[in-house]
Amino acid sequence: MIAKLICGKCGADLTNPIRIHSSKDPSFEVPEIEDGNPLTVSGEAIKSWDPMQRSFDPKQPASLEFVPQYWLNPADTEATVKPVNDPRRLNGCCGLDGSDGPNMCCKKCKAEVGTRQSDCWTANVFIPDPINTQWLEIVQ
């Protein structure tokens, strides 16, 4: 599938068209998660049915413990999103750990649109918030 991500609040394009691979597709091999590295090249994303984070406390799920989850190369959103104004969600030792809720907002309307992980112990990834974003499929 090829689609572009848009802001659910203002409709702004958050990405150019992106080719989305499903982790359920037997012909697609999900790459190993390597600390500090993007999971995909720019222009490609993974629809994952395994969450990026898991909690061992059912009463307090991790902020990234939902599926499906889309894993994007952060380069695909650099021009359209920026960090939120809440410093409690911008934690990390040398980047963003993404463990405290959405930390990126739409540059146009400031809606919280996803979580960026870029710390030394996380993958370098942008994960859209499924409530505040939408995918528009590009018909070819």
Side-chain angles (χ1 to χ4, degrees):
M1 173 173 88
I2 297 177
K4 66 179 177 176
L5 186 67
I6 64 168
C7 176
K9 182 176 178 185
C10 72
D13 288 351
L14 299 176
T15 68
N16 289 321
I18 292 178
R19 179 172 304 281
I20 301 172
H21 304 278
S22 174
S23 65
K24 287 187 174 183
D25 179 352
S27 67
F28 178 73
E29 187 173 332
V30 177
E32 291 288 323
I33 295 175
E34 296 179 12
D35 295 345
N37 291 324
L39 295 169
T40 64
V41 297
S42 183
E44 294 190 9
I46 299 169
K47 181 178 183 179
S48 176
W49 296 91
D50 289 314
M52 187 59 74
Q53 297 174 345
R54 291 188 192 272
S55 169
F56 295 102
D57 182 353
K59 293 179 183 173
Q60 291 186 330
S63 64
L64 293 175
E65 192 171 2
F66 60 86
V67 291
Q69 213 170 69
Y70 293 85
W71 299 343
L72 283 71
N73 186 309
D76 290 318
T77 60
E78 280 182 354
T80 59
V81 303
K82 66 179 186 174
V84 297
N85 287 328
D86 184 351
R88 294 172 296 173
R89 288 190 264 150
L90 301 175
N91 294 322
C93 63
C94 53
L96 299 170
D97 66 21
S99 297
D100 300 297
N103 58 15
M104 291 287 147
C105 65
C106 173
K107 282 187 177 179
K108 186 174 178 184
C109 73
K110 313 273 187 297
E112 295 176 358
V113 294
T115 301
R116 170 85 190 270
Q117 288 186 320
S118 60
D119 216 343
C120 59
W121 59 274
T122 68
N124 189 6
V125 64
F126 176 80
I127 301 170
D129 183 301
I131 296 170
N132 293 325
T133 60
Q134 297 175 29
W135 286 101
L136 291 180
E137 189 170 352
I138 309 292
V139 180
Q140 294 192 6

